[in-house]
């Protein structure tokens, strides 16, 4: 590894060691870690902090402005500095040690945030630092938007959008975390694909609550609150939302059709006609394909009585709903109420965000992304639109830009993707270094 790459890797490892963990209950957050992260950025990236204008917004989010030759039509590069909590005992390597494992092309850095999302944040800063040091002035303004609570409420990014909107800023292109370079995700496809999210699913938190008088568990009623809640949960599980093919997913299959083996090639080429039948099969082929073709709803938390021998006066289940574009918060709420079909079980929306608008997968902004990927990630990588399955801070930027995309320029295996929000999060060093080149090409392209 050359000295420049070694120095970049050392900076990444130092930043990964800072435990910027976010919690929904902000009283649990160690804000000194975020302050330490800010200070480390200033020290590690002196050229960025010499030339770019920096603002702290919404408490701990950061907004940088790199003035270009033209202030109009700016580029916004996004990432977030917060990470989800860890259970250290589940990890093979200490989650905030940033250990290096292996050698050569397979050398890997293990750390919480390596992919989600400090890997992208540091790659962006590495690209900008080098360009500033080379004396580059971008053709248009470049903004760096780094949120501090993407993993919880996203309020930092919302505050940044409010500031930009007040200043009349209309970005020509916004890029946040999202899809990656993958292989084997779409059945039969023989090439690596750069999955660029042109939209993302909405998010809902729904509470199912059953109530009763309570009392001693030695004398239970015929139909306790926990039983009613259990029936509601099972009804919801057994009656998933219907499958359907939204336009970006249809375009994804049309794009990869020429690179597909066997009879699936004809199926994908004719997706406008074969789609209704095909989407009924996808849920059986894995959770990622299932999530591309339907709104999903899954119970993630359950709570009941305060003791083992106490009847629950209130039994509650939390349902995480992810809305496919075309479904709305209101329509999903109605469907869940209809499926639960129990007047004694309350169905309440605790929090919700609609599915994002869909950005175009043609035109200058899309072409700029594709060109940067082709130049740095490999000419054999095929860029395709898709629906971002998780939520990101980028959804707030749809209020000020028509071209909001979600793509992280890293080639990730299935096991690496599965480690996000789980144990053993990691990224291969050479994959991360290529990501720096991508951001550099995007800025100068």
């Amino acid at each position: 590894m050359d000295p420049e790459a070694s120095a970049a890797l050392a900076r990444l490892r130092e930043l990964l060691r800072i435990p910027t963990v976010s919690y929904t209950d902000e009283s649990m957050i160690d804000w000194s870690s975020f302050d330490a992260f800010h200070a480390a950025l200033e020290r590690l990236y002196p050229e960025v902090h010499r030339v770019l204008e920096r603002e702290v917004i919404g408490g701990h989010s950061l907004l940088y402005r790199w003035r270009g030759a033209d202030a109009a039509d700016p580029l916004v590069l996004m990432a977030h500095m917060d990470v989800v909590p860890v259970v250290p005992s589940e990890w093979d390597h200490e989650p905030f040690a940033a250990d290096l494992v292996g050698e050569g092309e397979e050398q890997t850095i293990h750390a919480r945030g390596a992919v989600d999302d400090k890997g992208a944040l540091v790659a962006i800063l590495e690209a900008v630092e080098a360009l500033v040091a080379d004396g580059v002035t971008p053709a248009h303004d470049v903004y760096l938007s780094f949120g501090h609570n993407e993993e919880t409420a996203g309020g930092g990014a919302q505050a940044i959008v409010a500031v930009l909107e007040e200043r009349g800023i209309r970005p020509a292109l916004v890029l946040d975390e999202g899809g990656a370079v993958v292989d084997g995700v779409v059945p039969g496809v023989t090439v690596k694909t750069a999955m660029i999210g042109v939209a993302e699913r909405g998010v809902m938190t729904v509470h199912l609550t059953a109530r009763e008088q309570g009392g001693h568990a030695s004398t239970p009623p015929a139909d306790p609150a926990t039983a009613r809640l259990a029936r509601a949960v099972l009804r919801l599980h057994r009656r998933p939302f219907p499958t359907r093919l939204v336009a970006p997913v249809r375009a994804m299959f049309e794009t990869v059709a020429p690179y597909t083996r066997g009879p699936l090639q004809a199926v994908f080429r004719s997706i406008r006609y074969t789609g209704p039948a095909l989407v009924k099969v996808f849920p059986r082929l894995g959770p990622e394909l299932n999530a591309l073709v339907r709104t999903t709803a899954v119970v993630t938390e359950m709570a009941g009585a305060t003791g083992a021998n106490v009847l629950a006066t209130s039994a509650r289940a939390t349902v995480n709903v992810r809305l496919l574009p075309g479904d709305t918060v209101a329509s999903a709420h109605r469907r869940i109420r209809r499926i639960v079909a129990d007047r004694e079980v309350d169905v309440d929306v605790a929090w919700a965000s609609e599915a994002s608008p869909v950005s175009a997968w043609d035109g200058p902004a899309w072409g700029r992304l594709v060109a940067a990927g082709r130049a740095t990630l490999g000419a054999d990588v095929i860029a395709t639109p898709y629906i971002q399955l998780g939520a990101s801070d980028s959804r707030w930027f749809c209020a000020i830009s028509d071209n909001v995309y979600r793509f992280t320029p890293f080639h990730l295996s299935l096991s690496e993707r599965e480690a996000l929000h789980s144990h053993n999060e990691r990224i291969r060093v050479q994959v991360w270094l290529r990501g720096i080149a991508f951001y550099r090409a995007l800025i100068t392209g």
Side-chain angles (χ1 to χ4, degrees):
M1 189 182 301
D2 64 67
E4 186 176 325
S6 294
L9 178 59
R11 288 187 286 268
L12 172 63
R13 295 181 71 196
E14 178 175 340
L15 291 164
L16 287 171
R17 292 185 181 116
I18 302 174
T20 49
V21 180
S22 63
Y23 298 91
T24 302
D25 179 358
E26 292 197 343
S27 68
M28 299 172 62
I29 297 175
D30 177 7
W31 292 114
S32 67
S33 291
F34 288 82
D35 294 333
F37 192 84
H38 291 185
L41 293 183
E42 289 192 65
R43 175 172 47 81
L44 296 173
Y45 299 100
E47 291 300 304
V48 167
H49 290 83
R50 180 180 65 84
V51 173
L52 277 65
E53 302 159 20
R54 191 194 83 153
E55 297 176 78
V56 180
I57 295 176
H60 286 81
S61 289
L62 298 175
L63 177 65
Y64 294 84
R65 181 187 182 185
W66 186 9
R67 290 182 182 267
D70 189 345
D73 301 322
L75 165 68
V76 177
L77 298 177
M78 300 181 62
H80 62 88
M81 65 191 81
D82 63 316
V83 299
V84 295
V86 299
V87 180
S89 61
E90 296 179 347
W91 288 63
D92 295 336
H93 300 269
E94 204 282 317
F96 292 108
D99 288 339
L100 287 176
V101 179
E103 297 179 353
E105 287 288 325
E106 294 305 311
Q107 186 178 50
T108 302
I109 183 167
H110 288 243
R112 172 61 86 222
V115 177
D116 188 12
D117 185 35
K118 288 181 183 176
L121 186 151
V122 179
I124 291 168
L125 286 171
E126 290 289 335
V128 174
E129 179 80 2
L131 289 170
V132 172
D134 289 344
V136 171
T137 298
H140 296 266
D141 280 4
V142 177
Y143 288 88
L144 312 182
S145 172
F146 299 151
H148 73 274
N149 58 356
E150 188 273 349
E151 297 291 4
T152 54
Q158 288 178 273
I160 288 173
V161 169
V163 167
L164 295 176
E165 187 169 29
E166 184 179 339
R167 295 172 184 172
I169 306 300
R170 293 287 303 179
L173 170 59
V174 177
L175 181 65
D176 195 8
E177 65 173 337
V181 178
V182 299
D183 35 29
V185 170
V186 183
V189 175
T190 58
V191 296
K192 294 189 288 291
T193 51
M195 312 293 282
I196 302 176
V198 296
E200 63 182 53
R201 302 194 298 171
V203 187
M204 293 174 63
T205 298
V206 178
H207 289 155
L208 309 181
T209 308
R211 295 181 174 85
E212 66 173 303
Q213 184 175 346
H216 201 286
S218 62
T219 55
D223 195 20
T226 48
R228 292 202 303 276
L229 181 65
R231 287 197 299 271
V233 169
L234 284 175
R235 289 185 189 119
L236 193 59
H237 176 69
R238 290 168 177 167
R239 293 185 58 188
F241 282 72
T243 57
R244 55 191 175 84
L245 194 66
V246 295
V249 177
R250 185 181 67 234
M252 179 187 77
F253 287 110
E254 291 172 339
T255 300
V256 301
Y259 312 97
T260 305
R261 294 190 303 263
L264 281 176
Q265 182 177 102
V267 172
F268 291 169
R269 284 186 184 276
S270 305
I271 195 71
R272 291 175 184 270
Y273 308 104
T274 61
L278 197 61
V279 296
K280 296 184 184 305
V281 177
F282 278 177
R284 306 174 198 167
L285 303 180
E288 288 181 325
L289 286 174
N290 177 59
L292 280 175
V293 296
R294 65 157 43 111
T295 289
T296 57
V298 61
V299 172
T300 55
E301 296 176 317
M302 300 184 76
T306 57
N309 63 345
V310 179
L311 293 174
T313 57
S314 176
R316 190 177 81 177
T318 299
V319 186
N320 184 271
V321 183
R322 301 296 173 123
L323 299 163
L324 203 62
D327 287 338
T328 66
V329 171
S331 67
H333 187 204
R334 288 194 299 270
R335 178 180 173 83
I336 293 170
R337 289 178 62 90
R338 188 167 63 249
I339 291 170
V340 168
D342 188 340
R343 293 181 179 179
E344 295 187 42
V345 176
D346 296 333
V347 180
D348 300 310
V349 177
W351 184 88
S353 175
E354 299 283 3
S356 76
V358 179
S359 297
W361 49 91
D362 57 12
W366 175 262
R368 187 173 175 181
L369 283 174
V370 172
R374 186 179 295 119
T376 59
L377 304 178
D380 60 335
V381 176
I382 305 303
T384 177
Y386 97 119
I387 295 291
Q388 164 84 355
L389 300 181
S392 72
D393 274 344
S394 69
R395 66 190 185 276
W396 311 117
F397 278 78
C398 293
I400 60 172
S401 178
D402 296 326
N403 299 300
V404 179
Y405 299 97
R406 303 143 183 96
F407 175 66
T408 308
F410 303 141
H411 182 194
L412 301 178
S413 67
L414 175 60
S415 64
E416 288 165 343
R417 298 196 306 276
E418 288 177 339
L420 301 182
H421 285 212
S422 185
H423 55 280
N424 295 334
E425 185 178 350
R426 62 200 182 277
I427 190 168
R428 284 163 286 162
V429 172
Q430 292 302 317
V431 165
W432 179 73
L433 292 171
R434 283 193 290 272
I436 298 172
F438 170 86
Y439 288 117
R440 184 169 179 144
L442 186 64
I443 292 166
T444 58

